[in-house]
Amino acid sequence: AHHHDSHGAGHGDHGAGHGSLGSYAIGFVLYDKSPRHVTPERAAELARGLPPFVTPVALLVNADDALVARTLACLPQALLQFHGDETPQRCNSVSRPFIRAARMAPGFDLLDFAHQHAAAQALLVDAHVEGYGGGGQVFDWSLLAGLPQGVRRGLILSGGLHPGNVGEGVRLALKNLLK
């Protein structure tokens, strides 16, 4: 189970406290329409305060070449997360390890999406809402059942996780992994 936190790392706190919460990765939202948006320069400043073994993740949504170049220059150690409508060719062209977000709408073919994005380090599965990002919404986790083990192993569960349901998400994920 991966723990990946994209919450508020740009709001006054400097990201350093997040490592103590058991996070392995801290996401910096570089999408200017998000209320949690930070610039690549600010993300780099915040990333310098992260403890060892906590990976900065640069979340991009349909970023242009200039923003991608600034992100790579400012955050050379970051894992990229493509969260928009990026094609597999676009994701692969950056020549950096990346996570690809999958927006779980009814009828969405996650298996086909996984095959198209085979170069991704992992797929982050999130709720499909207006705009980009899951808006803290939970999607129907049973949509993940029946995926081949190779695909399930590379999933990061996102969207509306909280202390009341995270156990259920882990139980479902493990049940599916152990089948």
Side-chain angles (χ1 to χ4, degrees):
H2 306 280
H3 185 186
H4 171 78
D5 182 6
S6 294
H7 298 266
H11 287 286
D13 67 24
H14 44 70
H18 287 284
S20 63
L21 300 176
S23 296
Y24 301 111
I26 300 293
F28 297 104
V29 180
L30 306 179
Y31 178 50
D32 61 5
K33 293 181 178 61
S34 168
R36 297 188 298 221
H37 168 256
V38 292
T39 64
E41 294 76 16
R42 177 69 176 136
E45 202 178 292
L46 295 167
R48 282 193 284 278
L50 293 176
F53 309 114
V54 175
T55 302
V57 178
L59 190 154
L60 299 165
V61 177
N62 303 327
D64 62 22
D65 290 343
L67 179 57
V68 171
R70 269 176 60 213
T71 300
L72 297 177
C74 290
L75 293 161
Q77 76 282 36
L79 186 61
L80 301 181
Q81 179 177 319
F82 293 106
H83 214 96
D85 303 308
E86 297 88 358
T87 64
Q89 295 75 18
R90 174 64 170 161
C91 296
N92 297 339
S93 73
V94 178
S95 301
R96 282 282 286 278
F98 67 92
I99 295 168
R100 183 66 175 97
R103 300 160 72 211
M104 299 298 294
F108 177 76
D109 188 340
L110 183 60
L111 187 55
D112 180 58
F113 188 83
H115 286 306
Q116 288 182 49
H117 291 278
Q121 302 288 303
L123 296 178
L124 182 139
V125 287
D126 204 355
H128 186 281
V129 296
E130 259 330 289
Y132 298 96
Q137 301 299 306
V138 176
F139 66 90
D140 178 1
W141 292 336
S142 71
L143 295 171
L144 304 179
L147 289 172
Q149 185 156 359
V151 173
R152 290 193 310 255
R153 191 170 28 82
L155 292 181
I156 300 170
L157 188 59
S158 184
L161 292 168
H162 57 78
N165 72 2
V166 73
E168 175 68 4
V170 170
R171 189 187 66 73
L172 272 169
L174 288 176
K175 185 177 99 179
N176 289 331
L177 282 171
L178 298 174
K179 275 186 182 166

